[in-house]
Amino acid sequence: MTLASNPAGELSRQGFARTQAGAAALSRSVGAAARTSQTIGIEWMDYLKQVSSEVVAITEKVVKAGSPVKVMAIQGDFVKAAGELWMARAGTFRDLYATLAADMAGPFAKPFANPFAAATGSSVTIATEPKAA
């Protein structure tokens, strides 16, 4: 009996080929996720650098303020500026995290296929209750 006429051997070869393809897809997905994670880290560091420079500038203004009224006004301006800065960056972070989720789910995006469907010419279906008339 040759391997070509052996259905079990054919299934083994198909399974091995699918395993190799799955491993390659997983490797690409991990690489893409790592690059996206690095980009996220760079964006966070840039954002934190901007915020810290704002905090230093506001702290200097608060120290030089002569009255509690001026301090409250300076703090209000800081809260407004910090909110605007965050809103300017929020879209970037949203897009990066969505890309990271897509990168991580890449190999699992397709539904699991029936490995025996190609060899047997049939597919597995889930039995459901008949619809009421």
Side-chain angles (χ1 to χ4, degrees):
M1 180 147 93
T2 66
L3 212 53
S5 65
N6 184 356
E10 181 63 27
L11 285 176
S12 294
R13 279 197 302 281
Q14 288 176 0
F16 182 70
R18 286 189 178 136
T19 301
Q20 283 182 323
L26 182 62
S27 176
R28 286 189 302 273
S29 174
V30 168
R35 287 186 297 277
T36 303
S37 295
Q38 184 178 15
T39 303
I40 289 171
I42 291 168
E43 286 295 324
W44 270 111
M45 290 305 296
D46 187 42
Y47 171 72
L48 292 174
K49 187 172 30 169
Q50 285 181 335
V51 168
S52 65
S53 67
E54 287 287 325
V55 168
V56 168
I58 294 298
T59 304
E60 290 173 356
K61 287 181 183 178
V62 167
V63 168
K64 293 178 184 177
S67 69
V69 174
K70 288 183 181 179
V71 170
M72 294 298 286
I74 292 169
Q75 288 177 339
D77 291 342
F78 171 70
V79 169
K80 182 180 176 188
E84 290 172 353
L85 180 60
W86 172 249
M87 291 309 293
R89 291 291 187 123
T92 301
F93 287 123
R94 180 198 62 226
D95 294 342
L96 285 171
Y97 281 110
T99 301
L100 179 63
D103 290 344
M104 292 172 62
F108 308 107
K110 293 181 182 178
F112 295 106
N114 179 4
F116 301 106
T120 61
S122 65
S123 64
V124 176
T125 57
I126 299 173
T128 59
E129 292 183 25
K131 295 181 181 179

